[in-house]
C-alpha cells in the first residue's frame, strides 16, 4: 500500500520530517518497506515550457510533417521544430520540450530523451507535445493546445502545478483493515503523536454536512436478496453530471500513489477508496433497467462479461449486482461489467456504497483471478459503518466537480447493524504481555486516542468497545497489541539479562534423521519436493477407493473450492508433481517429500508423518562416461527402500506382498502389525486417470514407525574376521510360487551363525527344460566362522542340510 505524505497532511496539523514520519509508521506496526520522493508527473516536466507557434508550414520533404517556428520565451529567438500532429497551426499556445529534456510517455515503457537533429533533412530543435508524451493523459491524436493567455516561457511544472511528495510503501498485514486508507493511517499517527509528543490528536475529517438531496426525481429501488453476502447496501442517484477531466488537486492525489487519472467521476471513486477505505461503484443510470438494483447470486454457469472484455462463467457463489431484469451489471465488490460503468457520455449515475462479506469477496476474487484494489479492501474487512459517510462524501464531490444534482433520497439497506465488539481486558495481562507496567491512566489515554470507548472499569479489568473499522480486533490480546502499538514498541526496554535453558535433543533426533536420508536421496539423484497439504475429495470418491469418505478431513477453502480436504496420503501429491514435470518435458523424475497425512479416526484427526519416494522414466542420468541404460523399475524402488532402512540400521523385519488398488504389485516391510514402508509399481489405472504416460514407482515410509525402530536399534561393534570365507553355490529348480525370501529364511535357520550372506545371482526360466510353472534360482552362500578356519567337511554338512530342507519344504530339485 502507498501512503502520500501530502495527503496525510490534509488531515493532520504536522510539520515533521519524512524521516520522522517513517519511524512513526514503523513504530505503530505499519512497516515501511520503501520511501520515495515523487513528483505527480514523472520527471517533473523539467525542460518543458509554454511556447507560441509563430509559423506553421508544410515540410519540404514530407507532406505529413509540419515545419514550425515556435517562440519559447528564452530571448534567443524562435526554435525550428518538425511536428507530425494533424492539429498543429500558427497562433497556438503549446507545450514544448526543448533539446536535452527527458519525457516519460504513458504509452511507452522507455523514457524519451530529446536531442537536436534533422528529420527528413530539416533541423528540429525540440518537440511540441501531446498529452501522452507529457505523461498527463493517454491522448496521442494531437498536440496539447493551451488557452491563448498563458504566458510564453511558463515552465510546464508551474502550469500543471506539479507537486513534490514523499510516498511510503507500507507492508500492510492482513489484520490491519483499519489502515487500508489515508484517514486510517492519519488516525493512527495522530494517536501516537498525542500519547508520545503532546500533539492534539485532532484529525480533520472531511465534512459532509452539506449533503442534502436536491430532489427525488430519479429514485432507484434496491432489493438485497442475499444479506449474508451483502450486510449493507447504500446508494444515491446523481443527475445532470458532466464527465470530464479531474482538477489538478485530485489528479495529483491519485498520481502520487501510482494511480492513473481517468475522468472526474471514476477518479472520485478511487479517491474515496484510498481516503476512507470504502470501495464505491458508479453505474450509468441508463444501463440500470427498470431503475431497480437486485443484489443476488446468479445461477451456476451464467455468463458475465467484465470490464476487461473477458466473458466469465459464474460459480453460483459470486455475488452480483443486477438490474431490474436480473441481468448482471457488476461482480459485487470485485469488478465492474463492460456496459454498466461510467462513460464520457454518461450524465446520470447511481452511486453504490456497500459492505460485502469478506469470505464471499475473497472466494470470487481468487476464483476468477481478479485481484482488484476494492476486493483487497473487502477481504480484509471494510468498515460497514463508514459506507453512508463515504457515499455522502463522494456525492458532494461529484456534485462539485461534475455540476450535477442529487436526484434521490439515500437508499440504505442495513437489516442487522454491526455494533462495536466488546472485549474485556485484564490490567495484569496488559503488563504481562507487553513486558512492562503501563500506568492505567496511560492505557485509558491510548484507548481514547484510538477512539476505543471504555464501557466499564474495575481494579482488575476494563471492557472496551472496539470501533467497527478494526474488524480483526476481537480478543484481549488484540486490544493489548493496539495499546502497545501506540505506546511505542521502542519504549519497551530490552532486558539486561539473557536467560536460557539447556535443550536436550531427542534420541533419535528426527531432524538429524531427515538430513541423513535427505542427503542420501539427493546423492542418488532425487530432488526434494514440497506439495500442498490440501487435495481434492473428488479424487478419493471417483478414482481411488482405498480411503473411505468418512476418513476424509474436509475444510472450507474459499480461495480454491476444488482443494476441499486435507490430504489423506502423499500418493496423489507426488503423482501431480510427476505429471507437472512430464507436461514440461521432464520425463525422468526422482522425487521425495517429507510430509503429513490427515484422516478422521475414532479419537479425532489422525495426523501421520511420512516420507514418500517417486521414480519415473530413466533410472540413470544421461552421460557420455556412464553407458548404463534402463528405466526405473520395481527393483529400483525396492533397492532404495532396503538401502534406506539399512542406512538407519534397521533390520529384522518381515516382508509381505501388497494386494490393493494402489499398486500393480508391491511389497511391505513390517515388524508385526507395524508397517515400516510400502513400495511398488503404481497401478496403471491410476496413472492413466491422472494422464501420466510412464510407469511410476512409489514408496511410502511411515516416519513415526521408522523413529520407533531406530530408537530400539543398538549399535554393536565387532572385530573384523581374520579367517577366510567359503562360498558354495546351489542351482534350485522350484515352483514359480516360491519366493527368494523363503529360500533365505530356511538358510538362516539351517546355517545359523555360519552362513553370513545369501545372494540370488541368476534366474533362469525355460519350460521345455525345467517344466511348466518352474524356474531356476542360482543362489550363493558365504560361510564364515570368527573363531577358526572352516573345513570342507563342516561346510558340506550344512550344504547337505540345506539341500534336504529345500527338497522337503519347497519341493526343490538341485541342478547338478
Amino acid at each position: 500500500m502507498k501512503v502520500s505524505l501530502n495527503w496525510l497532511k490534509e488531515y493532520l496539523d504536522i510539520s515533521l520530517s519524512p524521516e520522522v514520519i517513517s519511524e512513526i509508521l514503523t513504530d505503530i506496526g505499519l512497516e515501511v518497506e520503501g520511501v520515495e520522493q515523487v513528483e505527480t508527473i514523472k520527471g517533473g516536466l523539467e525542460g518543458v515550457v509554454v511556447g507560441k507557434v509563430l509559423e506553421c508550414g508544410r515540410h519540404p520533404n514530407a507532406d505529413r510533417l509540419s515545419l514550425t517556428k515556435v517562440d519559447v520565451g528564452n530571448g534567443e529567438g524562435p526554435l525550428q521544430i518538425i511536428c507530425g500532429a494533424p492539429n498543429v497551426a500558427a497562433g497556438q499556445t503549446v507545450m514544448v520540450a526543448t533539446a536535452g529534456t527527458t519525457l516519460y510517455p504513458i504509452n511507452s515503457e522507455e523514457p524519451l530523451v530529446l536531442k537536436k537533429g534533422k528529420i527528413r533533412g530539416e533541423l528540429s530543435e525540440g518537440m511540441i507535445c501531446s498529452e501522452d508524451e507529457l505523461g498527463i493523459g493517454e491522448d496521442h491524436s494531437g498536440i496539447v493546445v493551451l488557452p491563448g493567455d498563458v504566458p510564453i516561457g511558463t515552465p510546464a511544472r508551474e502550469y500543471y502545478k506539479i507537486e513534490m511528495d514523499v510516498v511510503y510503501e507500507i507492508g500492510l498485514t492482513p489484520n490491519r483493515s483499519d489502515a487500508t486508507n489515508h484517514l486510517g493511517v492519519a488516525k493512527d499517527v495522530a494517536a501516537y503523536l498525542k500519547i508520545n509528543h503532546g500533539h492534539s490528536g485532532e484529525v480533520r475529517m472531511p465534512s459532509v454536512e452539506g449533503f442534502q438531496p436536491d430532489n427525488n426525481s430519479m429514485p432507484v429501488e434496491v432489493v438485497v436478496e442475499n444479506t449474508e453476502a451483502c450486510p449493507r447496501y447504500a446508494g444515491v442517484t446523481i443527475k445532470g453530471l458532466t464527465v470530464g477531466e479531474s482538477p489538478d488537486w485530485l489528479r495529483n492525489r491519485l498520481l502520487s500513489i501510482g494511480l492513473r487519472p481517468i475522468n472526474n467521476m471514476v477518479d472520485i471513486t478511487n479517491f474515496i477508496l484510498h481516503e476512507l477505505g470504502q470501495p464505491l461503484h458508479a453505474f450509468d443510470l441508463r444501463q440500470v433497467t427498470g431503475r431497480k438494483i437486485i443484489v443476488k447470486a446468479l445461477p451456476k454457469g451464467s455468463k458475465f462479461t467484465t470490464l476487461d472484455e473477458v466473458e466469465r462463467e459464474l460459480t453460483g457463489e459470486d455475488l452480483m449486482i443486477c438490474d431490474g431484469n436480473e441481468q448482471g451489471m457488476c461482480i459485487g465488490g470485485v469488478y465492474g461489467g463492460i456496459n454498466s460503468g461510467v462513460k464520457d457520455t454518461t450524465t446520470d449515475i447511481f452511486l453504490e456504497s456497500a459492505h460485502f462479506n469478506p469470505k464471499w469477496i475473497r472466494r470470487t476474487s481468487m476464483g476468477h483471478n481478479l485481484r482488484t484494489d476494492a476486493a483487497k479492501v473487502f477481504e480484509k474487512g471494510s468498515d460497514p459503518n463508514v459506507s453512508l459517510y463515504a457515499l455522502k462524501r463522494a456525492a458532494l464531490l461529484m456534485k462539485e466537480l461534475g455540476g450535477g444534482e442529487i436526484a434521490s433520497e439515500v437508499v440504505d439497506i442495513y437489516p442487522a447493524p454491526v455494533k462495536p465488539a466488546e472485549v474485556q481486558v485484564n490490567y495484569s495481562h496488559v503488563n504481562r504481555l507487553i513486558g512492562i507496567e503501563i500506568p492505567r491512566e496511560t492505557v485509558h489515554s491510548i484507548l481514547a486516542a484510538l477512539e476505543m470507548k471504555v464501557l466499564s472499569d474495575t481494579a482488575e479489568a476494563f471492557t472496551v468497545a472496539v470501533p467497527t473499522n478494526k474488524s480483526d480486533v476481537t480478543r484481549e490480546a488484540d486490544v493489548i497489541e493496539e495499546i502497545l502499538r501506540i505506546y511505542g514498541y521502542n519504549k519497551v526496554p530490552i532486558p539486561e539479562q539473557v536467560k536460557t535453558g539447556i535443550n536436550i535433543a531427542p534420541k533419535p533426533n528426527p531432524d538429524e534423521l531427515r538430513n541423513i536420508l535427505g542427503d542420501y536421496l539427493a546423492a542418488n539423484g532425487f530432488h526434494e519436493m514440497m506439495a500442498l497439504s490440501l487435495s481434492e475429495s473428488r479424487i478419493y470418491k471417483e478414482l481411488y477407493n482405498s480411503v473411505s469418505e468418512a476418513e476424509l478431513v474436509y475444510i472450507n477453502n474459499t480461495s480454491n473450492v476444488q482443494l476441499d480436504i486435507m490430504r489423506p496420503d502423499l500418493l496423489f501429491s507426488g503423482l501431480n508433481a510427476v505429471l507437472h514435470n512430464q507436461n514440461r518435458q521432464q520425463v525422468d523424475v526422482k522425487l521425495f517429500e517429507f510430509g503429513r497425512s490427515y484422516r478422521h479416526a475414532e479419537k479425532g484427526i489422525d495426523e501421520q508423518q511420512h516420507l514418500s519416494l517417486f521414480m519415473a522414466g530413466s533410472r540413470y542420468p544421461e552421460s557420455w562416461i556412464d553407458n548404463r541404460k534402463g528405466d526405473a523399475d520395481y527393483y529400483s524402488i525396492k533397492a532404495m527402500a532396503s538401502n534406506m532402512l539399512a542406512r538407519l540400521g534397521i533390520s529384522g523385519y518381515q516382508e509381505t506382498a501388497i494386494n490393493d488398488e494402489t499398486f500393480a504389485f508391491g511389497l511391505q516391510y513390517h515388524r508385526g502389525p507395524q508397517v515400516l514402508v510400502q513400495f511398488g509399481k503404481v497401478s496403471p489405472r491410476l496413472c492413466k486417470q491422472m494422464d501420466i504416460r510412464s510407469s511410476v514407482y512409489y514408496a511410502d515410509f511411515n516416519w513415526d514407525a521408522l523413529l520407533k525402530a531406530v530408537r530400539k536399534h543398538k549399535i554393536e561393534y565387532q572385530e573384523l574376521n581374520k579367517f577366510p570365507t567359503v562360498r558354495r553355490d546351489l542351482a534350485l529348480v522350484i515352483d514359480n510360487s516360491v519366493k527368494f525370501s523363503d529360500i533365505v529364511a530356511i538358510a538362516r535357520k539351517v546355517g545359523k551363525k555360519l552362513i553370513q550372506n545369501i545372494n540370488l545371482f541368476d534366474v533362469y526360466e525355460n519350460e521345455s527344460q525345467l517344466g511348466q510353472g518352474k524356474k531356476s534360482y542360482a543362489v550363493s552362500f558365504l560361510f564364515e566362522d570368527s573363531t577358526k578356519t572352516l573345513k570342507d567337511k563342516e561346510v558340506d554338512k550344512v550344504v547337505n542340510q540345506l539341500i534336504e530342507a529345500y527338497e522337503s519344504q519347497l519341493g526343490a530339485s538341485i541342478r547338478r
Side-chain angles (χ1 to χ4, degrees), residues 482-493:
E482 292 292 293
I483 294 170
L484 176 58
R485 284 195 310 104
I486 303 306
Y487 180 76
Y489 291 108
N490 292 331
K491 291 169 67 175
V492 178

Side-chain angles (χ1 to χ4, degrees), residues 764-794:
Y764 178 67
E765 293 179 317
N766 189 321
E767 284 193 4
S768 62
Q769 295 182 5
L770 302 178
Q772 187 175 2
K774 297 290 186 179
K775 59 185 176 183
S776 175
Y777 275 6
V779 184
S780 67
F781 303 87
L782 284 183
F783 293 81
E784 185 181 275
D785 191 326
S786 60
T787 62
K788 63 181 180 179
T789 300
L790 288 172
K791 297 179 180 180
D792 288 342
K793 289 182 179 180
E794 295 174 291

Side-chain angles (χ1 to χ4, degrees), residues 369-383:
N369 195 26
L370 291 171
R371 306 297 294 143
T372 59
D373 287 341
K376 292 175 183 176
V377 169
F378 282 127
E379 284 175 11
K380 287 181 171 66
S382 66
D383 182 3

Side-chain angles (χ1 to χ4, degrees), residues 136 192 258 492 565 671 712-713 732 740 805:
I136 62 173
Y192 181 91
V492 178
I565 61 170
R671 287 178 171 174
K712 293 180 178 180
H713 173 67
L732 305 173
F740 177 65

Side-chain angles (χ1 to χ4, degrees), residues 31-46:
E31 184 178 352
V32 177
E33 296 179 343
V35 182
E36 182 182 9
Q37 283 199 333
V38 300
E39 294 169 305
T40 48
I41 298 178
K42 191 172 183 180
L45 297 183
E46 292 291 343

Side-chain angles (χ1 to χ4, degrees), residues 408-437:
S408 76
E409 297 293 335
V410 171
V411 176
D412 186 16
I413 299 176
Y414 197 14
V418 178
K419 298 180 180 180
E422 297 183 6
V423 182
Q424 180 174 310
V425 182
N426 285 354
Y427 286 107
S428 61
H429 293 172
V430 174
N431 299 329
R432 177 176 61 83
L433 288 180
I434 293 177
I436 59 172
E437 185 169 346

